[in-house]
Amino acid sequence: MKKNSFISVISDEKKEENKGSVEFQVFCFTNKIRRLTLHLELHKKDYSSQRGLRKTLGKRQRLLAYLLKINGVRYKELISKLNIRELKTR
């Protein structure tokens, strides 16, 4: 399993912050998504994990939409730090 170095750097910074903050929750969901994605590369027919991945993606998407609505600067900073795509705006 490949470990991303930037995730460990962010986790050290976030340990001192509020664990209930939107940024920390998105960070945790991103780690979970990456772990599930690596798992599904090996186990393509694990449908329970696929469902869990979709649910986690939806939760992260809702949190990012909320953060974008509340504070766009924090949103831009977070997606650049975590190296994730921007939300599709409707």
Side-chain angles (χ1 to χ4, degrees), residues 22 26 29 54-69 87:
V22 176
V26 170
F29 284 140
R54 285 193 301 268
K55 286 177 69 96
T56 307
L57 283 168
K59 288 179 185 179
R60 185 179 74 175
Q61 182 179 9
R62 286 191 299 273
L63 277 172
L64 285 171
Y66 168 77
L67 185 61
L68 178 61
K69 187 170 86 172
L87 290 175

Side-chain angles (χ1 to χ4, degrees), residues 5 14 25 29 32 37 41-42 48 52 54 61 65 71 78-79 81 84 90:
S5 61
K14 295 291 183 178
Q25 291 180 38
F29 284 140
K32 187 173 183 179
T37 304
E41 287 176 1
L42 296 174
S48 298
R54 285 193 301 268
Q61 182 179 9
N71 190 342
L78 182 65
I79 61 169
K81 194 181 281 189
I84 56 179
R90 293 178 185 179

Side-chain angles (χ1 to χ4, degrees), residues 12-84:
D12 292 337
E13 294 173 4
K14 295 291 183 178
K15 283 181 184 172
E16 300 301 321
E17 284 189 26
N18 182 8
K19 293 186 189 265
S21 69
V22 176
E23 288 90 350
F24 186 79
Q25 291 180 38
V26 170
F27 166 73
C28 290
F29 284 140
T30 302
N31 282 343
K32 187 173 183 179
I33 289 167
R34 289 193 173 122
R35 276 197 329 263
L36 283 171
T37 304
L38 288 173
H39 171 77
L40 287 170
E41 287 176 1
L42 296 174
H43 309 282
K44 295 183 185 343
K45 294 189 177 184
D46 188 354
Y47 299 116
S48 298
S49 293
Q50 288 178 10
R51 181 173 184 263
L53 177 63
R54 285 193 301 268
K55 286 177 69 96
T56 307
L57 283 168
K59 288 179 185 179
R60 185 179 74 175
Q61 182 179 9
R62 286 191 299 273
L63 277 172
L64 285 171
Y66 168 77
L67 185 61
L68 178 61
K69 187 170 86 172
I70 298 302
N71 190 342
V73 175
R74 283 172 46 196
Y75 167 78
K76 291 281 188 186
E77 181 181 310
L78 182 65
I79 61 169
S80 66
K81 194 181 281 189
L82 292 177
N83 196 20
I84 56 179

